[in-house]
């Protein structure tokens, strides 16, 4: 996979997990986003979640999840931005799509990565670490309990 594709995959993942309010808070430090035109949406629908027993067994339909998608194009260019986000937040989907399109522009990318993507990624990593620490505090050492007999 090319470096640009890996970078896009990362920023789209960060934007999909960030709330619209968190994205807007980061946007206050950068110039306004370029004007855009909606190509699709934002539209809300359902996607089927699939699972596998044991991680490698036969696939089965697990559940459905609400997803909102949006596609935009920046004015004055042919850059298209896409976003799929969990839930029904239309503004989050549109913001993520506009940022995806803007981040594809090499001139805007460094400022947007530094002001929006990196702070959001750091906040998400900290939230995961906090949850991990909470879960680790309740972890039971079964081997230790067996030796206590």
């Amino acid at each position: 996979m090319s470096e640009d594709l890996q970078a896009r995959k990362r920023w789209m993942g960060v934007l999909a997990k960030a709330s619209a309010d968190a994205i807007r808070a980061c946007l206050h430090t950068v110039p306004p986003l370029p004007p855009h035109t909606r190509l699709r949406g934002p539209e809300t629908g359902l996607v089927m979640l699939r699972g596998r027993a044991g991680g490698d067994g036969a696939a089965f339909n697990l559940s459905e999840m609400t997803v909102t998608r949006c596609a935009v194009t920046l004015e004055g260019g042919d850059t298209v931005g896409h976003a799929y986000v969990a839930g029904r937040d239309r503004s989050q989907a549109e913001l993520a799509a506009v940022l995806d399109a803007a981040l594809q522009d090499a001139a805007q990318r460094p400022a947007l990565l530094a002001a929006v993507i990196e702070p959001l990624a750091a906040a998400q990593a900290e939230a995961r670490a906090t949850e991990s620490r909470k879960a680790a505090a309740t972890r039971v050492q079964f081997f230790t309990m067996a030796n206590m007999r």
Side-chain angles (χ1 to χ4, degrees), residues 36-101:
H36 65 280
T37 304
R38 291 180 182 175
L39 296 176
R40 174 184 290 146
E43 303 169 328
T44 301
L46 296 171
V47 295
M48 181 60 67
L49 301 179
R50 300 195 35 102
R52 291 186 179 273
D56 60 356
F60 62 93
N61 293 338
L62 180 65
S63 180
E64 291 178 333
M65 182 174 99
T66 305
V67 173
T68 303
R69 70 180 179 181
C70 187
V72 301
T73 184
L74 298 182
E75 287 184 10
D78 57 351
T79 306
V80 178
H82 301 277
Y84 281 78
V85 299
R88 299 176 179 272
D89 192 342
R90 293 170 172 256
S91 62
Q92 176 193 8
E94 189 165 1
L95 273 173
V98 173
L99 277 165
D100 175 46

Side-chain angles (χ1 to χ4, degrees), residues 8-19 23 92 96 116-122 124 128:
R8 187 173 184 205
K9 182 179 174 182
R10 180 175 179 270
W11 76 58
M12 290 183 84
V14 169
L15 291 170
K17 294 172 191 153
S19 69
I23 296 171
Q92 176 193 8
V116 180
I117 301 302
E118 295 308 326
L120 290 173
Q124 291 169 6
R128 278 191 307 274

Side-chain angles (χ1 to χ4, degrees), residues 101-111:
L103 282 160
Q104 292 177 55
D105 179 11
Q108 296 182 49
R109 187 178 306 146

